[in-house]
């Protein structure tokens, strides 16, 4: 049996978890899902649709929001009682963190961000390093395999089965509750569509020049029902909220269309956008590294090209 | 307040990678070295806290003898002393690395109030050493911190992952991992560099362990594009782009 952590934020599914469920099905026909916190119980239908026959709902009065140390404890308790062959999660910051707590509690290795997994003795994985610019072939010497699945390495495919829900009371240690959540929110993405769901992302970098000119990107994104993204330098400069940062340390995205305006293409940015179906670059520099990863490019000033593009699209829509 | 920052020497790779003939490592013949980006923020945070509250800032790294270069650079920014856990230059797996760090921390007379890491390393992307260290020391851990306030033995941290920002509080001693945006790291000054030459660096040689996560080989990921097709220059190229948007189905 493979146990898959299905991650959620107050009951809202992390779609990368469906890819982790799909990756698990390539290893076994016997898939269990686990959610941390009662809010996750709402996800039983979707877990069944993606092949899990049992959803374990790990609950404790203190588990309300994201508490990774408590997640690790809950996963360890389930791993000890269910004896799965592997515990998998999405290779997201939260997936990596929760499984790292699990691996630490059980004193086992963890292989993060795997694009390929073969169970065995030892297990064999291919995992991403250097913001997925390099892939590492590695062996994992452990009975239970603990691994996360590289974002976008596997397409989510449905495979519906009947699912039952099993509630599990988690026994936490005092140390698991030493970090208290005081509050949250504050900064949501400014644009309507969220980056992970958007089919079109219009993204800006240093070349945008300041927060004001992002209105050009917002207008184009709105016209295409898309979202606005940005590079790290933009959030570091305070021009846009962190929620819009695309990259290894921001959000990894895979839209149908990614427009990179005034973005040179640092390695860590490429890691976040290279799974896009089509990448269009607008940049004054014909030598910008991002051109090597792009499909189409216009060499020019985004402050002129973007308004012209917006006008041209408006004209086609009549 | 006594602070420890953990660092890692990494090659300053560009966007193209060359491997060694045995495909086990990056060919670093033509590369400089530095530390992972978020770690510069960790050192800066440590320096600022010691400036405000007094105390000491210790740097700890596991790596080849040459990692002394990275320790000196960060000592020049204002750290007090360094500890170098020497390897033969090969990668250590996350469990072995964490165990060596914990052993070194436990051997210190100073009981660090705060242990800082960068949110992730540039190279190995294991996402676990900080968590293993925190558990081994029975300390709480907060990760991916973008703002941090420390007062009266309590750390308030804001963590940003995806579209959610969360505010956490924990009591010291604690382990915290920070990310870029926390502060603007300063450059070492000339007097700082001169002082850094005299600051103490302790060399230790931890026992290597058999890796549980064993690297076999590396390969360079194929780029999923053969390079961009240039549609043209400036606004004249816009009609060609509109045609592309129609072809890929974004426009009807």
């Amino acid at each position: 049996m493979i146990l898959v952590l299905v991650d959620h934020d107050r009951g809202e599914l992390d779609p990368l978890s469906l890819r982790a469920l799909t990756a698990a099905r390539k290893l076994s026909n016997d898939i269990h899902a686990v959610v941390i916190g009662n809010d996750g119980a709402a996800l039983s239908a979707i877990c069944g649709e993606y092949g899990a026959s049992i959803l374990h709902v790990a609950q404790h009065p203190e588990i309300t929001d994201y508490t990774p140390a408590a997640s690790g404890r809950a996963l360890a308790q389930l791993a000890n009682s269910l004896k799965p062959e592997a515990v998998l999660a999405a290779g997201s910051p939260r997936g990596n963190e929760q499984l790292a707590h699990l691996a630490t509690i059980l004193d086992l290795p963890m292989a993060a961000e795997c694009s390929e997994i073969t169970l065995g003795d030892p297990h064999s994985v291919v995992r991403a390093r250097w913001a997925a610019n390099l892939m590492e072939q590695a062996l994992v010497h452990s009975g239970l395999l603990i691994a996360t699945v590289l974002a976008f390495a596997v397409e989510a495919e449905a495979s519906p089965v009947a699912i039952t829900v099993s509630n599990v009371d988690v026994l936490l240690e005092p140390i698991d509750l030493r970090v208290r959540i005081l509050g949250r929110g504050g900064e949501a993405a400014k644009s309507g569509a969220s980056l992970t769901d958007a089919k079109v992302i219009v993204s800006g970098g240093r070349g945008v020049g300041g927060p004001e000119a992002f209105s050009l990107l917002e207008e184009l994104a709105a016209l295409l029902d898309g979202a606005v993204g940005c590079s790290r330098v933009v959030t570091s400069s305070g021009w846009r909220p962190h929620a819009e940062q695309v990259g290894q340390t921001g959000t990894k995205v895979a839209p149908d269309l990614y427009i990179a305006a005034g973005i040179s293409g640092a390695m860590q940015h490429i890691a976040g956008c290279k799974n896009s179906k089509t990448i269009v670059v607008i940049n004054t520099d014909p030598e910008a590294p991002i051109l090597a990863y792009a499909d189409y490019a216009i060499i020019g000033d985004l402050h002129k090209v973007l308004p012209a593009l917006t006008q041209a699209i408006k004209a086609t829509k009549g | 307040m006594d602070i420890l920052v953990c660092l890692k020497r990494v090659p300053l790779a560009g966007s193209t990678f060359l491997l060694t003939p045995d495909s086990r490592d990056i060919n670093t013949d033509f590369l400089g070295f530095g530390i992972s980006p978020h770690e510069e923020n960790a050192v800066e945070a440590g320096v600022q806290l010691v400036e405000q509250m007094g105390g000491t800032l210790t740097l700890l790294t596991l790596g080849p003898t040459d990692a002394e270069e990275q320790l000196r650079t960060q000592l020049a920014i204002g750290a007090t002393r360094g500890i170098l856990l020497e390897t033969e230059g090969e990668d250590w797996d996350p469990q072995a690395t964490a165990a060596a760090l914990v052993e070194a921390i436990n051997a210190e007379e100073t009981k660090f109030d705060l242990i800082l890491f960068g949110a992730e390393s540039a190279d190995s992307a294991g996402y676990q050493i900080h968590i293993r260290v925190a558990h081994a020391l029975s300390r709480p851990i907060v990760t991916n911190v973008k703002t941090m306030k420390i007062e009266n033995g309590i750390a308030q941290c804001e963590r940003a992952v995806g579209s959610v920002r969360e505010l956490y509080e924990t009591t010291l001693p604690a382990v915290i991992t920070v990310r870029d945006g926390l502060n603007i790291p300063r450059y070492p000054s000339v007097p700082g560099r001169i002082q850094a030459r005299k600051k103490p660096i302790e060399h230790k040689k931890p026992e290597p362990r058999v890796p549980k996560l064993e690297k076999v080989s590396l390969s360079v990921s194929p780029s999923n594009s053969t390079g961009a097709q240039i549609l043209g220059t400036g606004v004249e190229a816009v009609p060609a782009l509109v045609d592309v948007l129609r072809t890929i189905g974004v426009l009807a």
Side-chain angles (χ1 to χ4, degrees):
Chain A
M1 185 271 283
I2 311 278
L3 182 64
V4 179
L5 170 66
V6 172
D7 195 30
H8 67 96
D9 182 50
R10 295 185 172 179
E12 191 181 323
L13 174 76
D14 171 11
L16 289 178
S17 294
L18 301 182
R19 296 172 186 254
L21 280 168
T22 309
R25 290 210 314 273
K26 294 179 199 284
L27 304 176
S28 169
N29 295 322
D30 187 8
I31 307 297
H32 291 200
V34 51
V35 288
I36 311 296
N38 278 326
D39 289 349
L43 302 175
S44 64
I46 187 100
C47 289
E49 196 181 328
Y50 282 81
S53 59
I54 298 182
L55 175 65
H56 302 275
V57 179
Q59 50 193 18
H60 185 283
E62 295 286 338
I63 301 180
T64 51
D65 277 304
Y66 180 58
T67 44
S71 300
R73 196 71 61 184
L75 292 169
Q77 190 178 319
L78 279 165
N80 284 332
S81 65
L82 300 170
K83 308 263 180 253
E85 295 161 80
V87 180
L88 302 185
S92 62
R94 287 172 49 139
N96 290 330
E97 181 170 33
Q98 292 172 92
L99 289 208
H101 278 281
L102 166 68
T104 302
I105 291 166
L106 298 181
D107 195 21
L108 292 176
M110 171 178 97
E113 314 231 306
C114 299
S115 62
E116 291 172 35
I117 296 171
T118 310
L119 295 178
D121 181 20
H123 309 291
S124 169
V125 299
V126 176
R127 56 177 295 265
R129 297 182 57 155
W130 283 101
N133 282 278
L134 292 183
M135 301 307 288
E136 173 188 341
Q137 176 84 48
L139 301 175
V140 189
H141 300 274
S142 62
L144 169 67
L145 174 69
I146 299 173
T148 64
V149 179
L150 180 65
F152 308 118
V154 177
E155 285 292 333
E157 289 165 25
S159 176
V161 296
I163 188 163
T164 53
V165 174
S166 162
N167 291 324
V168 184
D169 289 321
V170 181
L171 297 171
L172 296 181
E173 307 269 340
I175 183 80
D176 305 332
L177 302 170
R178 288 265 299 278
V179 178
R180 291 196 313 120
I181 185 157
L182 298 179
R184 54 183 250 151
E187 187 191 62
K190 280 188 182 171
S191 49
S194 89
L195 282 179
T196 39
D197 306 333
K199 298 277 185 217
V200 175
I201 294 173
V202 184
S203 204
R206 191 193 299 271
V208 179
E212 300 79 19
F214 266 90
S215 61
L216 304 175
L217 286 79
E218 285 173 353
E219 193 179 357
L220 179 59
L223 199 57
L224 297 172
D225 292 326
V228 172
C230 65
S231 67
R232 187 163 81 179
V233 66
V234 169
T235 48
S236 298
S237 308
W239 298 351
R240 300 296 289 187
H242 175 80
E244 292 180 4
Q245 183 180 319
V246 172
Q248 176 74 9
T249 61
T251 304
K252 290 180 190 163
V253 300
D256 291 343
L257 172 64
Y258 188 82
I259 299 179
I263 294 176
S264 62
M267 183 177 80
Q268 80 92 25
H269 186 81
I270 303 285
C273 70
K274 69 178 181 183
N275 291 295
S276 308
K277 285 205 183 102
T278 301
I279 297 179
V280 173
V281 166
I282 301 170
N283 206 301
T284 50
D285 178 8
E287 304 289 322
I290 197 166
L291 266 72
Y293 297 87
D295 301 288
Y296 302 97
I298 292 180
I299 306 307
D301 181 358
L302 67 97
H303 300 90
K304 294 179 180 142
V305 174
L306 286 178
L309 180 59
T310 300
Q311 284 311 315
I313 291 170
K314 278 184 182 162
T316 67
K317 294 193 169 187
Chain B
M1 185 145 129
D2 294 307
I3 302 170
L4 179 78
V5 176
C6 297
L7 307 175
K8 184 175 188 187
R9 170 185 164 94
V10 292
L12 298 170
S15 47
T16 50
F17 286 84
L18 286 176
L19 298 179
T20 54
D22 64 1
S23 291
R24 284 186 55 86
D25 290 290
I26 296 174
N27 181 340
T28 55
D29 290 353
F30 305 103
L31 297 178
F33 287 83
I35 59 175
S36 296
H38 308 288
E39 292 170 359
E40 296 181 4
N41 299 96
V43 175
E44 177 64 35
V47 171
Q48 287 182 14
L49 285 168
V50 169
E51 282 172 351
Q52 290 159 19
M53 303 185 187
T56 61
L57 173 59
T58 304
L59 308 176
L60 174 61
T61 192
L62 176 122
T65 318
D66 288 343
E68 184 166 335
E69 178 192 339
Q70 280 63 49
L71 290 177
R72 291 278 172 219
T73 304
Q74 300 306 316
L75 286 170
I77 284 167
T80 317
R81 57 188 276 263
I83 305 169
L84 172 51
L85 308 177
E86 282 186 27
T87 67
E88 302 295 329
E90 75 285 9
D91 274 347
W92 282 32
D93 86 328
Q95 282 171 288
T97 304
L101 296 180
V102 167
E103 198 178 282
I105 293 166
N106 282 334
E108 286 291 299
E109 276 180 30
T110 311
K111 295 298 162 220
F112 299 105
D113 303 295
L114 183 61
I115 298 177
L116 296 173
F117 285 83
E120 62 191 65
S121 65
D123 60 340
S124 54
Y127 303 101
Q128 54 192 279
I129 285 171
H130 49 284
I131 291 171
R132 293 186 187 274
V133 169
H135 276 265
L137 300 173
S138 298
R139 293 185 179 201
I141 175 163
V142 186
T143 61
N144 280 293
V145 167
K146 237 182 157 178
T147 60
M148 180 169 75
K149 195 171 80 182
I150 294 189
E151 261 174 19
N152 306 324
I154 291 174
Q156 275 197 5
C157 309
E158 199 172 50
R159 164 198 157 98
V161 169
S163 60
V164 178
R165 286 211 144 199
E166 295 155 322
L167 186 64
Y168 289 98
E169 183 179 270
T170 192
T171 49
L172 301 184
V175 178
I176 294 177
T177 82
V178 304
R179 58 190 298 156
D180 62 328
L182 178 77
N183 50 38
I184 299 169
R186 69 192 78 178
Y187 290 104
S189 64
V190 173
R193 283 189 183 279
I194 293 167
Q195 285 167 14
R197 285 188 211 143
K198 295 183 197 132
K199 289 182 177 173
I201 293 181
E202 187 182 345
H203 292 247
K204 293 185 166 185
K205 245 187 150 34
E207 274 301 307
R209 297 173 170 224
V210 179
K212 299 270 185 65
L213 177 61
E214 182 190 353
K215 177 172 69 176
V216 177
S217 62
L218 297 176
S219 60
V220 178
S221 305
S223 162
N224 47 7
S225 164
T226 50
Q229 179 189 338
I230 307 290
L231 298 172
T233 305
V235 293
E236 288 84 52
V238 165
L241 180 51
V242 171
D243 288 343
V244 166
L245 300 190
R246 280 207 187 91
T247 311
I248 64 172
V250 167
L251 287 179

